[in-house]
Amino acid sequence: MLYEAVRLALQAILRNAFRSFLTVLGIVIGVAAVIAMVTVGQGSTEQVQADVSTLGTNLLMIRPGQPSQGPGSGAGGTAASLTLKDVEAVEEQIPSVAVATPSNSRSMTTIFGNVNTTTTVTGTDNRFLIARDWALASGRSFYESELRTGSSACILGNTVREKLFGNGDPLGASIRLKQISCRVIGTLAVKGASSFGTDQDDIVLIPIRAFMRRISGNQDISMIYASIREGVSTDKGKADIESLMRERRRIGPFEDDDFNVFDMKQISSMLTGITSVLTGLLSAVAAVSLLVGGIGIMNIMLVSVTERTREIGIRLAVGATERQVLLQFLVEATVLSLIGGLIGIVLGLSLGLLGARMLSVPFSPSASLVLAAFVFSALVGIVFGYFPARRAARMDPIEALRHQ
Amino acid sequence: MTKTATAATEPSDDRPLIRLRRITKVYGTGDAEVRALRGIDMDIRGGEFVAIMGPSGSGKSTAMNILGFLDKPTDGTYLFGGAEVDHLGRDQLALLRRNFLGFVFQGYNLLARTSALDNVELPLIYQGMAAAKRRQLAREALAKVGLKGREDHDPSQLSGGQQQRVAIARAIVTNPDVILADEPTGNLDTARSREIMDLLTNLNRKDGITILMVTHEPDMADYADRLIHFVDGRIETDTSSTREPADAL
Ligand SMILES: Nc1ncnc2c1ncn2[C@@H]1O[C@H](COP(=O)(O)OP(=O)(O)O)[C@@H](O)[C@H]1O
Ligand SMILES: [Mg+2]
């Protein structure tokens, strides 16, 4: 009986193919919009999460300045700088912190032979590699002596290495950073691009003391990376760091922090938050358009029931029960709505693919979303098809037969 | 239902297939009130071929609709196969129509843009019969009414006489006890009408199907064994011809 009803429904729908298409347009648009947007949103979220995981989810960043400032903003004007003593204190006095490392960065021109490129020069120490979970591709890390004296040794990121040396071996070579020359002792493994738009591999690491003496000319630390021990929550680590820093910086109980501790999860959740707000908005648009689509289906089904009054009379006369007629029209509305849903799914996935390509984020269609779209369009058909179907089922056979 | 079926197919003499008692039908209320039937008593035995005549508006169609479970009387009792049907609901009446009755209408009432075969299959679909069995029975029914080879034709590709044959095939495909035909030849010329009447007579004589037929034409009424004459919502005369009804042969 259900099979018969589906067959009849397809017949009836195809008989008025163009009208049927116009009817389901609302459903098509609603479903396509949601699928496309959620697919692209999901891709962006995955991209952000991938980026964050290359930084390490247990990584905290400490910067001087008002907490309202974002992670990208510079050191706060009036706030006192961080010092190497702070780095030491964070690592040694806080049990939940595994390693802490300074990170001072500046954009500089780097020269080797007649090739030059602008890159980020970061003054730090070997703990940087641990905190950022970054392996060496070749060579070695800094010797204690190099770190202590701030001698001119440097480790190249993959992008800088490629630009300056191509396929050549950079180890032992001497490159120039502004007017300082420094010897290449190692190269970093490839890290890839980050969603913040920067190429993480475009970097040169030098000992922090070398950076202070030869580049910045002062003892200030602009950022500290702190890596939290496994098994300890970043929230706990963050709280520990905050209380230590407040103490060290002599901030009274009623004063605001003049430093900032950022959590990578926080940044990633902020970004995914934006995505989910967008997704939410779109879902609302989709809900409205499904509602409109549903009303369209109800309308056309009412027209169809009226047009087919005589047919209904005939069916009732030959012994169709109320349920059988109800089922026929309910199935017709549902099939109609499902066709709209399927077109919407195909269209939405195509648009999602296009959008993902354009934003260069991964194309990540969600099977559960497709299933949900399918179920929802079926539900729209059932809900909005019920009233017209009931009207058909309750018809008086004699009056229906007399209808012209 | 099954009990009714047994009773309907094996009527005993004291229990006719159909028994109407004091059936009345009133349409509308107050000034608009129309008393279409004013107390009908009728006994129909299984295998009879009954013609119903009478002036326009005398209540023939109203009576047919009640007899065919398409409408309910305002008052009175209707026994079908010995069982009272007055209290039955819509769906139970639909089941009675589906299992025991076949309808033939003046205007054929076939589904448009639907092949003859699909039209004939329709009642079987509602019986829940499997597709292959349905096809076979529908083909047989079409062959029986002389439409072999026209299975795939739409109603629009068939003449009036042929359409009425499709309707008859649809009526008999369920192997009914009764065929109700309200002016089945009303839209046909004499030659075509005679073909339809021959077909109905055959179904009555050979298959023992009880036939109730409304007609305006005395020539068509002559095919029946019994003539009931309606006037003004009442039965005026009820006369049987000398020939015995089918089940007695
Ligand atoms: N649905 C209806 N509503 C009101 N009056 C009706 C309806 N159906 C039939 N009638 C009236 O009942 C009477 C009998 O009608 P009907 O049974 O169709 O007569 P016949 O078939 O003998 O011509 C007529 O007066 C007709 O106008
Ligand atoms: Mg009439």
Side-chain angles (χ1 to χ4, degrees):
Chain A
M1 193 59 219
L2 191 65
Y3 165 77
E4 288 302 329
V6 171
R7 197 174 59 90
L8 272 173
L10 285 172
Q11 254 175 29
I13 289 165
L14 292 177
R15 214 166 258 172
N16 284 309
F18 188 60
R19 185 170 89 179
S20 304
F21 175 72
L22 291 181
T23 305
V24 301
L25 216 49
I27 308 269
V28 170
I29 291 169
V31 168
V34 177
I35 300 243
M37 291 304 161
V38 171
T39 302
V40 172
Q42 182 66 26
S44 319
T45 307
E46 273 173 28
Q47 179 71 47
V48 168
Q49 275 160 355
D51 294 340
V52 165
S53 75
T54 66
L55 286 172
T57 46
N58 57 344
L59 194 63
L60 296 179
M61 294 183 296
I62 310 160
R63 281 174 153 278
Q66 297 303 311
S68 58
Q69 292 169 317
S73 60
T78 56
S81 295
L82 301 167
T83 65
L84 280 175
K85 291 245 182 308
D86 290 325
V87 181
E88 243 169 64
V90 166
E91 181 172 306
E92 281 164 16
Q93 294 175 28
I94 303 175
S96 53
V97 172
V99 293
T101 180
S103 171
N104 282 10
S105 293
R106 185 162 299 183
S107 178
M108 293 175 76
T109 305
T110 315
I111 306 161
F112 176 69
N114 56 358
V115 193
N116 72 72
T117 176
T118 302
T119 186
T120 304
V121 176
T122 299
T124 184
D125 59 24
N126 288 333
R127 292 178 177 86
F128 181 87
L129 302 177
I130 301 168
R132 296 285 309 269
D133 189 23
W134 210 335
L136 289 172
S138 69
R140 59 170 177 84
S141 53
F142 301 114
Y143 289 145
E144 268 315 307
S145 57
E146 287 165 342
L147 289 168
R148 210 167 42 240
T149 59
S151 66
S152 304
C154 58
I155 300 173
L156 304 186
N158 191 55
T159 304
V160 182
R161 181 191 61 74
E162 262 178 6
K163 279 187 182 155
L164 296 185
F165 296 95
N167 289 326
D169 181 10
L171 293 184
S174 220
I175 63 168
R176 289 179 60 79
L177 307 171
K178 214 156 76 178
Q179 63 276 67
I180 327 151
S181 93
C182 82
R183 204 160 47 82
V184 179
I185 59 162
T187 60
L188 292 168
V190 179
K191 200 80 167 167
S194 91
S195 60
F196 315 120
T198 53
D199 175 6
Q200 300 182 82
D201 295 316
D202 196 3
I203 194 169
V204 174
L205 304 182
I206 64 170
I208 179 68
R209 284 180 205 283
F211 187 96
M212 289 169 163
R213 209 172 58 226
R214 304 196 178 195
I215 297 173
S216 66
N218 60 45
Q219 302 289 307
D220 297 347
I221 299 289
S222 52
M223 182 165 75
I224 300 172
Y225 280 117
S227 169
I228 304 303
R229 258 180 228 293
E230 267 192 57
V232 180
S233 75
T234 44
D235 288 344
K236 165 89 167 71
K238 198 173 163 188
D240 290 347
I241 291 170
E242 277 167 355
S243 73
L244 177 78
M245 291 305 290
R246 284 178 74 87
E247 194 181 305
R248 288 182 63 79
R249 294 164 81 85
R250 297 183 211 296
I251 298 170
F254 303 110
E255 288 178 84
D256 287 335
D257 289 352
D258 64 352
F259 63 92
N260 229 322
V261 183
F262 297 103
D263 167 358
M264 292 316 298
K265 270 193 210 140
Q266 218 174 314
I267 294 168
S268 95
S269 67
M270 187 183 78
L271 288 172
T272 50
I274 293 170
T275 318
S276 65
V277 166
L278 281 177
T279 309
L281 274 175
L282 263 140
S283 304
V285 171
V288 169
S289 117
L290 281 180
L291 184 75
V292 172
I295 292 170
I297 284 182
M298 179 149 84
N299 181 45
I300 219 69
M301 287 308 295
L302 283 172
V303 170
S304 180
V305 164
T306 307
E307 278 177 356
R308 286 150 70 189
T309 299
R310 201 179 171 79
E311 173 194 326
I312 294 163
I314 293 169
R315 290 178 185 280
L316 290 169
V318 302
T321 57
E322 219 168 281
R323 253 178 58 101
Q324 285 170 324
V325 175
L326 184 87
L327 186 73
Q328 182 192 334
F329 282 90
L330 208 51
V331 164
E332 191 171 321
T334 307
V335 167
L336 193 61
S337 178
L338 268 180
I339 288 174
L342 286 178
I343 296 174
I345 287 170
V346 171
L347 190 67
L349 287 177
S350 313
L351 289 174
L353 180 63
L354 203 72
R357 284 275 160 78
M358 273 163 48
L359 298 172
S360 59
V361 298
F363 172 59
S364 69
S366 143
S368 57
L369 181 68
V370 167
L371 191 72
F374 193 80
V375 170
F376 259 94
S377 38
L379 274 179
V380 165
I382 291 169
V383 168
F384 290 93
Y386 183 75
F387 175 63
R390 203 188 56 170
R391 176 178 280 194
R394 298 249 173 112
M395 273 185 188
D396 177 50
I398 300 167
E399 270 166 31
L401 281 171
R402 215 180 274 143
H403 193 268
Q404 282 314 311
Chain B
M1 294 304 310
T2 331
K3 272 183 192 151
T4 316
T6 319
T9 42
E10 297 165 28
S12 55
D13 280 338
D14 59 330
R15 276 221 306 214
L17 177 57
I18 287 170
R19 167 164 285 176
L20 301 185
R21 285 293 176 270
R22 299 176 310 281
I23 292 288
T24 60
K25 180 72 184 179
V26 181
Y27 290 112
T29 50
D31 282 349
E33 188 179 279
V34 179
R35 291 158 59 97
L37 296 177
R38 298 163 180 260
I40 300 286
D41 291 330
M42 192 189 285
D43 281 344
I44 311 257
R45 287 191 295 141
E48 278 192 294
F49 186 163
V50 181
I52 298 172
M53 295 189 78
S56 186
S58 59
K60 306 181 296 292
S61 294
T62 303
M64 288 293 267
N65 289 338
I66 289 171
L67 285 164
F69 309 123
L70 288 168
D71 203 357
K72 295 195 121 193
T74 307
D75 206 355
T77 340
Y78 180 179
L79 297 165
F80 187 82
E84 213 175 290
V85 297
D86 306 303
H87 61 279
L88 296 181
R90 259 173 78 96
D91 280 353
Q92 287 169 307
L93 294 178
L95 292 180
L96 284 182
R97 288 197 295 275
R98 176 198 290 176
N99 293 319
F100 304 117
L101 305 186
F103 290 93
V104 180
F105 303 94
Q106 180 176 0
Y108 324 131
N109 274 335
L110 299 176
L111 295 182
R113 291 180 291 186
T114 304
S115 73
L117 195 66
D118 285 344
N119 263 293
V120 176
E121 269 188 53
L122 196 61
L124 301 179
I125 291 179
Y126 291 119
Q127 287 187 343
M129 189 180 285
K133 183 91 188 293
R134 244 161 45 205
R135 298 258 120 182
Q136 189 206 330
L137 289 182
R139 276 176 199 287
E140 284 171 15
L142 279 170
K144 200 166 185 174
V145 299
L147 286 179
K148 208 176 170 68
R150 302 292 164 102
E151 287 88 352
D152 297 330
H153 287 48
D154 273 5
S156 61
Q157 296 169 303
L158 297 170
S159 71
Q162 288 171 326
Q163 288 185 60
Q164 196 60 299
R165 284 160 186 274
V166 175
I168 291 171
R170 181 182 64 194
I172 62 174
V173 76
T174 56
N175 209 359
D177 293 319
V178 184
I179 287 179
L180 294 140
D182 195 346
E183 303 194 38
T185 60
N187 288 1
L188 302 175
D189 61 36
T190 310
R192 242 41 64 195
S193 297
R194 294 213 168 276
E195 287 171 15
I196 295 297
M197 290 315 301
D198 287 338
L199 197 50
L200 289 176
T201 308
N202 243 319
L203 292 170
N204 173 248
R205 299 274 163 79
K206 291 225 177 78
D207 301 325
I209 299 175
T210 308
I211 296 182
L212 300 179
M213 176 187 73
V214 171
T215 183
H216 276 306
E217 300 157 89
D219 284 352
M220 303 305 143
D222 282 347
Y223 282 83
D225 319 312
R226 180 174 163 194
L227 177 62
I228 296 177
H229 207 89
F230 273 58
V231 176
D232 203 16
R234 286 201 179 85
I235 293 178
E236 196 185 54
T237 59
D238 183 347
T239 47
S240 293
S241 63
T242 45
R243 195 172 50 73
E244 285 296 301
D247 68 334
L249 287 174

